Amino acid sequence: MGRWACVLALALSVTPVGADASGGEVQVLSGTDAASAVTVRARPEVRIEDRTPGAKPPTGPRGPASTGQTFTDEVLLFLRDFSVPRAAAIDVGDSLVSTVRLSPEVGGTLVSVFVRQPVTYTVSRPSAIGDVRIELRGRSRPLTVVTGPRGQPRVTRPKQVGEGEIAVDAESLSYDQEANTLTARGGVTLKRGDTTLTADEVVYDRTRGIAEASGHVVLTDPQGTMEGDFAHLNLDDESGWFDNATADLQPSGYTVRGTRIEKQGGPLYSVARGVFTTCRCGGLEGPSWSIAGAQTDVKVQGWGLVQSATFRVKDVPVFWLPYLPFPAGTNRESGFLMPRLGYSNRRGFQYEQPFFWAISKSTDATVAVDVETAARVGLLGEYRYFLSRQAHGSFGGAYYNEQIRGTSQGTVTTTGEPANIPENRFVITGHHIQPFYWKSRFYLDLFAVSDDQLLREVDTFAISTRQDVTLRSTRFTTSQTGVIKSWSTGLARVETVYHQDLIDPQDLTLQKLPRVEAEHAKAFLDDHLVGGVSGETVDYQREDGYDGLRADFGPSLFLPFHLGRTLNGSLSGGLRETAYHLTDREQVAFVVPDDPNIARHFATAPQQPRLDTDRTQEVAEVRGRTGTEFDRVFDFRHLGLEKVKHTIEPEMRYFFVPAVGRPIFDTRLPACSTLAARGQRTQPGSNCDATLFSEGYLFDERDAVNQRNFFSYGVTSRLLGRGASTAEIAAREEEGVAGEEVGPSASGPVDPDILPQGLSANALPTFVGPPAPPGGAAPAVPAARELARASILHGYDVSRELVGASHQSDVDLGLRVTPLDYLGLSYNTTVSLADSVVRGLSVGGFVREPWWQATPGTRSFQSPSTLGISYRFIEKNVNQGVGPDSGDSRLLASNGVNELDGSLYLRLGDYLGFTYLSRYDLGTTPTTGPHFLERDYLLRIISRCNCWLVEAGLADKTNPDERLFRVQLTLVGLGSFGRSPQNRNYVGFNPLAGLGFRTPASSATGGLY
C-alpha cells in the first residue's frame, strides 16, 4: 500500500427515533497507488447485501463479505437492519471515487459508491465496532509523463495496440515504390486506431500522409460516422473534406448533409449547402424539422454562423433569416434559454424567460423573469460556483410583487380561513461548503420565505409533479451554519440552526443559538468491546415561552457477541446526565378547544405554573438484541432462475429505561359564559371553553424519554433467487440439458415521478442491473435478489400497560412480493389484538409491461405502460385510549387517513402516451365528503423520427384551488418551447434537495448541475 494522500469524512450525528444511535459515518481514504478505501460506520451485526451487478457472494463464514468488479458507475451495498436518520452524500476529490451516498430504505440503508472508472473491489465483514470497509482498485491503465518537444514534459495516455499504425485490407493492393503510394481496390478497409475508412478505392500517399477515397466512402470514429462519394483526408493533422456527404455526429445526435463538408486547419469546419437535423426517419421521408443554410462556418469552442438560414418542416421552408449565429462549444455559453408558457384559472397566463450567464469555468448563474397576468410579477436568480472539489456552493433568491393579484381566493390556512397574502414576497436560498482550520469543514445552508403560503402557491420551485406535493406540505424551513471536525472514531461540531415554522406561530419556534456537540469511541479487548462518550450543549431561544440552556453528557458501552454460526447479537448500555438552565420560565401549551370545529393550536400558558429555573435529569438506557437464521437452498429452473433460498430469521430485542419524571400539566380554562358575566372579552377556544396541555423541559426528542421495559420479538421469512452460474451453465450444456428461456424483462429504472404518492418503496422490485458490456466476462455467480418476504412483530412491556389494560403491543404484519422485475406488491398493517381492530394499513402494487423495450442503439422517448396503486388507512383517533395515562381524549383526537392514490402511464403505440396521477380522500368530515385531492393528466406525442415531442397536461389541485394547463414543444437538439406539465425547472434551488428534491441536469439548459 502506498502513502495515504488525503482523508475526507462525513458524519451523521442527529439520530431521531427509529434510527441507529451509531449514526452513519463515512470515511474515504485516497491512496497514491491507484487504490482507495471507503469505510462506513454501521453495527457489528449488520448484514451486507452486495447489489452490484456481477458481485461474488462470500464462500464461507470467513473472508470478505463480497468481491467483484464493475463496468458501471457505482458499487451498491445494502446494509440490512441498519438505518440512518436521513439521506446524505459526500463529494470526494479522489481518482477512483467521486461520491458516496447513504440512502435510508425500508429495512436498512443503501450505500452507493460512485466511481470514475471500472474498478475491482473487496467488501470486508463488519469489524467489532461496526466498520464496513470497501477497498477499490482501478482497472484502467494510468497516465504517464513523457518528454515532449523542446524537453517540455506532457501527460499522455498509453496508446492502444496498433494505434499510430495503419492496417489496410482490400481485394487488390499495388504499391508504387518510387512515389511511395499505396493503391487499394475492391472492398477497401483502412484502420488507424479508433478510425476506420471503407471505400471502393483508396489511394494512400505515405509520404504526405494523405488518403483519397472514392466510391461509397464511409469514415467511422468515436465522434460519429461520415459518408460521401469522395474524400480527401490528411491522416496526420486530421483535416480534409467529403463531397456529397452525410454525417451522423455523436453524442449530439445531429445529422448533417452537405455538398461538401470540410475540416480546415485547427478547430475550423465549413459546410456548403448544409442541412442540420436530429430527425432520423430513414427511407425517402424528409425530416420532421431541419435547418438549412447556403454556407455554414463553425469554430469549435467558439461560434458558428449559418448564412441564408431557413427553418424547414418536412423540407418545406417556414421562415428565413439572413444570418443565424449559434454557440459551437462543448463548454457552457451565455445566452437566453427557451421561454416557458402556461395558463391557470387563478394566475392567468404565465410567461417565464430565463437567461444563462457563463461567468467563468467555475461559476455561472441563471436569471429568469416570471410574469403571471392575474397573480404576480417576479424575478428569480441562482448563482453557482465550484472553486474546488472541497469548496463549492450556490445561492439563489426570488422576489414577487402581487399588486395585480386582487383577492386571495382559493388558498386557506390551517384554521380553514382565507390566507392573508402580502403584496411583496421573496425566497432566499443558499448552500456553501469549504475546508476550515485543523482539517475541519465549514458549511452554510439558507432557506427562508416571506410568508407561510408562498411554497404552496408558487410552483416555480417544484421539480416534478410528485415532489410538488411534498413541497406544498413542508412544515418548516431550516437555515444553519457551522463547523464540523470528524475523525475515524468521533466528531466535534459547532453550529447555529434557525427554523421558520410554516404552520404554528413563529414566536413559539425554538432556535438553536448555538449547538455544540462531540463524541468519541474506542475499542477494547481486541475489538470485542467498544466504549464511547458523547456530550451536547444547546442554547434554545424563542420569542415567547420557556427557553434556555440544556447540557447533556453520557458514557456508553457496546458489546457484540457471536455464539458460533447459530446465534448472534449485541448488548449496549449508557448513562446520561442532562442539566437545564431556563432564561424564560413561562410554559407553552397545546390548546384543545371544546368545539371540534375550532382548530387546535400552540400558545403560551400564563395560567399554568412557571417552571423551575434549574433542573437536572438522570437517565439510564439498556438495549439488547439477539437473533439467528435458518436457511435451505432448492433447485428452481423457472423464471430465469437456477436456485432459490428460503430463510427463517427469528429475532428478539430488549429496551429498558427507568422511570423519568417530568412536569406534565393540563389546565381547564373557564367557560366563555363566566368571562362574559365578568365583562371580559371572550375568544372561544383561546381564553375560554378549552383545555391547556403542556409538558415542561421538552425541547426535542432527546428530552422525550419515557419509561420502558420492553421486549419485542418477531420472525422474518425471505425467499431469494439467483440465475445460473457460469459453471452450472457449462455443466448443463455438457449434459445436453437445455435451460429454460428467460422470460421478458422490463429494462431501466423506475421513474419515481410516475408512481402514486403513497406507494411504499417496498413495492418496487430489486433490480439486478444491466448486463455486462459486450465482450465482458460474465460473473461467476449472478447476484441474488429478494423474491418475497413476510414478517410478524409483537412486543410486551413489563412495566406499563400499552393498550387499554394490556401490556401487549399491537402486532405489525408485513408482506413484500417481487417475483419479477416488472411486478411488485407490498402489504403492511398494524392490528390490535386487545380491541380486535386494524390500527393502520398500507397496501400497494406496481406493474409495468415486460414485453416492450426500446430498440437497442436508437434514441427513444417512449416508456413501457406502468400502473401503480396504493391505499393508506390510519384509524380515526388512533391514539385515544392507548395506555392508562393517555390523557384527555380531545388531546389525542385525530381525523385519521383514508386515502387512495393511483398512477397510470399508458403506452399507446410507439409514439403516443398518456399519464394519469391522482390522490383521492375516502374520508368524511362535517363539511366535506370523499373527494379528489390531486389530479394530473398528461398527453405525450412523440415524432416517428424521435426528434420532437409535444407534452400537454392539466393539473387540478386543492388548497390552492387551481386548474393549471401547460404545453411544451421540444425539438431534440435545439431545446423546448412552452412549459412542461412535469414541472422541470431552470432554477433548481439547492436547499430543496434536503427535502428529497433533485436538480435537473440538461445540456439544453446551459450546463446547470
Side-chain angles (χ1 to χ4, degrees):
M1 298 293 287
R3 179 177 58 89
W4 294 117
C6 64
V7 178
L8 299 177
L10 168 70
L12 303 179
S13 59
V14 181
T15 308
V17 176
D20 285 277
S22 58
E25 180 182 304
V26 175
Q27 185 179 84
V28 180
L29 299 177
S30 302
T32 59
D33 56 349
S36 299
V38 178
T39 303
V40 180
R41 174 64 55 83
R43 291 187 286 106
E45 68 273 16
V46 70
R47 289 179 293 169
I48 304 173
E49 298 178 8
D50 194 339
R51 296 182 176 178
T52 310
K56 299 178 182 179
T59 57
R62 299 184 180 275
S66 68
T67 60
Q69 59 185 15
T70 176
F71 295 92
T72 59
D73 58 354
E74 59 185 341
V75 176
L76 298 175
L77 300 180
F78 184 70
L79 306 183
R80 186 166 299 282
D81 299 327
F82 172 73
S83 61
V84 294
R86 60 182 180 272
I90 177 174
D91 295 327
V92 182
D94 180 69
S95 60
L96 295 183
V97 180
S98 62
T99 304
V100 181
R101 180 179 299 163
L102 301 183
S103 305
E105 293 188 357
V106 175
T109 298
L110 182 66
V111 180
S112 305
V113 181
F114 294 89
V115 296
R116 306 179 189 274
Q117 56 177 281
V119 298
T120 60
Y121 66 91
T122 302
V123 181
S124 71
R125 298 179 186 272
S127 68
I129 60 174
D131 283 352
V132 178
R133 182 182 177 89
I134 310 164
E135 293 188 357
L136 305 102
R137 290 185 175 273
R139 304 181 67 237
S140 300
R141 299 171 65 186
L143 300 176
T144 58
V145 179
V146 300
T147 302
R150 301 180 183 177
Q152 296 295 325
R154 58 188 177 91
V155 178
T156 65
R157 292 186 180 276
K159 292 185 177 181
Q160 300 179 5
V161 176
E163 185 175 350
E165 301 176 357
I166 296 178
V168 181
D169 183 25
E171 295 178 2
S172 66
L173 293 172
S174 62
Y175 177 63
D176 186 341
Q177 186 173 3
E178 182 178 351
N180 197 19
T181 301
L182 178 69
T183 302
R185 295 183 177 90
V188 182
T189 300
L190 188 149
K191 297 193 66 175
R192 183 180 182 181
D194 293 331
T195 302
T196 302
L197 174 68
T198 62
D200 294 340
E201 180 179 302
V202 175
V203 179
Y204 176 51
D205 187 337
R206 299 179 64 184
T207 303
R208 296 186 300 160
I210 293 177
E212 291 187 341
S214 59
H216 305 94
V217 183
V218 179
L219 180 67
T220 304
D221 64 17
Q223 283 71 46
T225 301
M226 187 176 297
E227 303 178 8
D229 297 336
F230 176 83
H232 176 94
L233 304 173
N234 188 320
L235 300 183
D236 291 333
D237 61 9
E238 298 182 353
S239 63
W241 69 83
F242 269 71
D243 288 339
N244 297 322
T246 300
D248 290 330
L249 306 180
Q250 300 298 333
S252 64
Y254 270 99
T255 297
V256 182
R257 302 196 312 269
T259 58
R260 171 168 286 194
I261 301 178
E262 180 177 3
K263 180 182 180 183
Q264 303 167 358
L268 300 178
Y269 291 81
S270 66
V271 181
R273 304 183 64 84
V275 178
F276 306 81
T277 185
T278 58
C279 299
R280 300 183 180 184
C281 304
L284 300 177
E285 181 181 353
S288 301
W289 68 268
S290 61
I291 297 176
Q295 178 69 29
T296 303
D297 298 306
V298 180
K299 181 178 181 181
V300 178
Q301 304 302 342
W303 283 80
L305 182 66
V306 182
Q307 301 178 29
S308 187
T310 57
F311 181 81
R312 308 193 300 183
V313 177
K314 288 293 183 180
D315 288 335
V316 177
V318 176
F319 63 85
W320 172 85
L321 289 173
Y323 297 98
L324 177 63
F326 62 91
T330 55
N331 296 328
R332 302 161 301 159
E333 298 288 347
S334 300
F336 286 98
L337 304 178
M338 288 289 187
R340 301 193 307 164
L341 304 174
Y343 177 78
S344 164
N345 65 316
R346 298 184 67 251
R347 290 181 280 165
F349 288 98
Q350 183 175 11
Y351 176 84
E352 184 177 338
Q353 177 60 66
F355 178 83
F356 178 77
W357 182 17
I359 304 172
S360 67
K361 291 184 178 181
S362 59
T363 60
D364 58 40
T366 304
V367 180
V369 175
D370 184 12
V371 178
E372 302 172 19
T373 58
R376 59 186 65 90
V377 176
L379 178 66
L380 303 85
E382 185 176 30
Y383 170 73
R384 297 166 293 271
Y385 54 93
F386 199 89
L387 306 180
S388 68
R389 295 187 182 276
Q390 292 78 34
H392 52 85
S394 66
F395 288 89
Y399 167 77
Y400 295 95
N401 182 275
E402 310 239 346
Q403 188 175 5
I404 61 176
R405 176 188 182 112
T407 59
S408 304
Q409 297 179 355
T411 303
V412 297
T413 64
T414 55
T415 62
E417 301 175 353
N420 182 22
I421 305 300
E423 182 176 313
N424 297 297
R425 313 176 80 178
F426 63 84
V427 178
I428 299 175
T429 69
H431 169 74
H432 174 77
I433 186 170
Q434 72 172 57
F436 204 60
Y437 294 104
W438 304 298
K439 295 183 180 181
S440 63
R441 288 182 299 134
F442 170 80
Y443 59 91
L444 170 67
D445 293 293
L446 297 176
F447 190 13
V449 296
S450 58
D451 58 273
D452 298 346
Q453 307 299 324
L454 186 139
L455 295 178
R456 183 179 301 177
E457 287 201 325
V458 181
D459 67 344
T460 305
F461 316 114
I463 304 302
S464 71
T465 302
R466 177 179 172 86
Q467 295 163 342
D468 178 57
V469 177
T470 304
L471 181 60
R472 288 190 288 114
S473 57
T474 301
R475 182 178 182 87
F476 57 84
T477 70
T478 300
S479 298
Q480 58 187 358
T481 182
V483 176
I484 181 172
K485 162 70 176 177
S486 59
W487 53 93
S488 59
T489 57
L491 65 89
R493 184 202 311 260
V494 179
E495 67 175 356
T496 296
V497 183
Y498 183 86
H499 298 292
Q500 182 181 4
D501 201 313
L502 304 181
I503 297 179
D504 293 318
Q506 179 66 23
D507 291 345
L508 303 180
T509 304
L510 286 166
Q511 317 298 345
K512 301 175 183 179
L513 307 172
R515 172 176 174 259
V516 181
E517 69 163 339
E519 62 181 49
H520 182 74
K522 184 175 178 57
F524 301 94
L525 303 178
D526 195 21
D527 289 350
H528 287 85
L529 179 67
V530 180
V533 62
S534 62
E536 180 192 60
T537 300
V538 185
D539 184 11
Y540 286 99
Q541 294 295 324
R542 55 182 162 189
E543 294 293 329
D544 297 321
Y546 67 88
D547 54 25
L549 289 170
R550 186 194 69 186
D552 186 271
F553 176 83
S556 62
L557 287 175
F558 177 78
L559 175 66
F561 61 84
H562 295 268
L563 302 180
R565 298 182 57 185
T566 59
L567 194 66
N568 62 82
S570 64
L571 184 65
S572 63
L575 301 173
R576 198 166 77 230
E577 175 75 19
T578 305
Y580 304 87
H581 177 76
L582 302 185
T583 55
D584 189 329
R585 301 186 296 126
E586 186 176 27
Q587 293 211 53
V588 175
F590 189 60
V591 184
V592 180
D594 296 342
D595 186 351
N597 295 320
I598 301 177
R600 299 178 294 175
H601 59 280
F602 286 94
T604 54
Q607 301 90 341
Q608 294 183 337
R610 288 179 171 263
L611 299 174
D612 295 335
T613 301
D614 297 304
R615 173 185 168 84
T616 59
Q617 177 178 282
E618 296 77 28
V619 176
E621 179 181 296
V622 176
R623 294 178 184 264
R625 176 203 162 272
T626 185
T628 188
E629 177 180 320
F630 306 95
D631 61 73
R632 186 174 179 182
V633 178
F634 303 89
D635 293 330
F636 186 83
R637 295 176 179 176
H638 305 282
L639 301 176
L641 301 174
E642 177 71 19
K643 303 282 188 179
V644 295
K645 178 181 179 181
H646 179 224
T647 70
I648 300 176
E649 306 165 27
E651 184 181 65
M652 175 178 289
R653 294 176 181 264
Y654 176 68
F655 183 30
F656 173 79
V657 177
V660 179
R662 277 194 312 275
I664 299 177
F665 304 91
D666 58 278
T667 304
R668 176 68 185 172
L669 296 179
C672 291
S673 58
T674 303
L675 294 184
R678 299 174 183 171
Q680 299 178 5
R681 180 185 177 186
T682 61
Q683 293 179 298
S686 294
N687 66 346
C688 59
D689 288 348
T691 304
L692 306 179
F693 296 91
S694 69
E695 186 169 353
Y697 306 98
L698 183 60
F699 292 112
D700 59 22
E701 68 277 356
R702 186 167 299 207
D703 301 309
V705 180
N706 293 318
Q707 181 181 9
R708 292 286 189 274
N709 193 1
F710 186 71
F711 290 88
S712 64
Y713 37 86
V715 61
T716 298
S717 181
R718 297 191 299 152
L719 189 67
L720 301 99
R722 68 162 177 86
S725 65
T726 53
E728 291 166 340
I729 294 175
R732 189 182 303 162
E733 291 176 350
E734 291 179 0
E735 297 172 1
V737 179
E740 180 180 337
E741 182 177 353
V742 180
S745 173
S747 61
V750 180
D751 184 357
D753 295 333
I754 67 173
L755 298 178
Q757 186 70 24
L759 182 62
S760 169
N762 269 340
L764 300 183
T766 303
F767 292 93
V768 176
V781 179
R785 69 184 181 96
E786 190 175 88
L787 306 177
R789 173 204 298 234
S791 63
I792 181 171
L793 181 66
H794 188 239
Y796 185 89
D797 198 305
V798 178
S799 60
R800 64 190 186 120
E801 298 171 345
L802 297 179
V803 180
S806 174
H807 289 252
Q808 300 184 62
S809 72
D810 295 335
V811 178
D812 291 336
L813 302 173
L815 176 65
R816 178 179 187 258
V817 181
T818 54
L820 304 166
D821 61 1
Y822 52 84
L823 174 66
L825 300 170
S826 70
Y827 176 86
N828 295 278
T829 185
T830 300
V831 180
S832 172
L833 299 180
D835 298 336
S836 300
V837 297
V838 175
R839 302 286 191 191
L841 174 69
S842 174
V843 59
F846 165 85
V847 62
R848 60 175 175 174
E849 61 174 325
W851 47 82
W852 185 88
Q853 290 186 350
T855 304
T858 62
R859 178 178 56 218
S860 177
F861 299 100
Q862 185 59 285
S863 301
S865 295
T866 304
L867 175 65
I869 191 169
S870 70
Y871 172 70
R872 292 179 291 169
F873 168 78
I874 299 177
E875 182 187 20
K876 185 177 182 180
N877 302 323
V878 64
N879 292 320
Q880 287 186 353
V882 178
D885 300 323
S886 52
D888 195 296
S889 61
R890 292 172 298 163
L891 173 64
L892 302 176
S894 61
N895 293 327
V897 175
N898 194 7
E899 183 176 316
L900 181 66
D901 301 335
S903 70
L904 170 67
Y905 179 75
L906 186 61
R907 181 184 63 85
L908 304 173
D910 291 335
Y911 310 110
L912 190 65
F914 174 75
T915 299
Y916 174 72
L917 301 171
S918 70
R919 298 172 57 217
Y920 188 77
D921 189 352
L922 297 168
T924 59
T925 66
T927 57
T928 62
H931 61 284
F932 280 100
L933 300 173
E934 307 273 347
R935 280 178 292 181
D936 289 278
Y937 309 86
L938 170 64
L939 181 66
R940 174 183 294 177
I941 303 174
I942 307 169
S943 73
R944 194 183 69 81
C945 307
N946 282 312
C947 59
W948 62 263
L949 60 148
V950 175
E951 294 176 302
L954 176 66
D956 187 358
K957 304 178 181 180
T958 57
N959 196 21
D961 183 17
E962 181 179 21
R963 264 70 60 196
L964 178 63
F965 175 76
R966 297 167 179 164
V967 63
Q968 178 172 280
L969 168 65
T970 300
L971 299 179
V972 178
L974 288 186
S976 302
F977 183 82
R979 187 164 191 186
S980 169
Q982 294 183 316
N983 275 349
R984 312 283 182 194
N985 287 317
Y986 294 110
V987 182
F989 288 97
N990 281 280
L992 301 186
L995 302 173
F997 290 82
R998 67 173 186 265
T999 302
S1002 171
S1003 58
T1005 58
L1008 296 186
Y1009 56 90

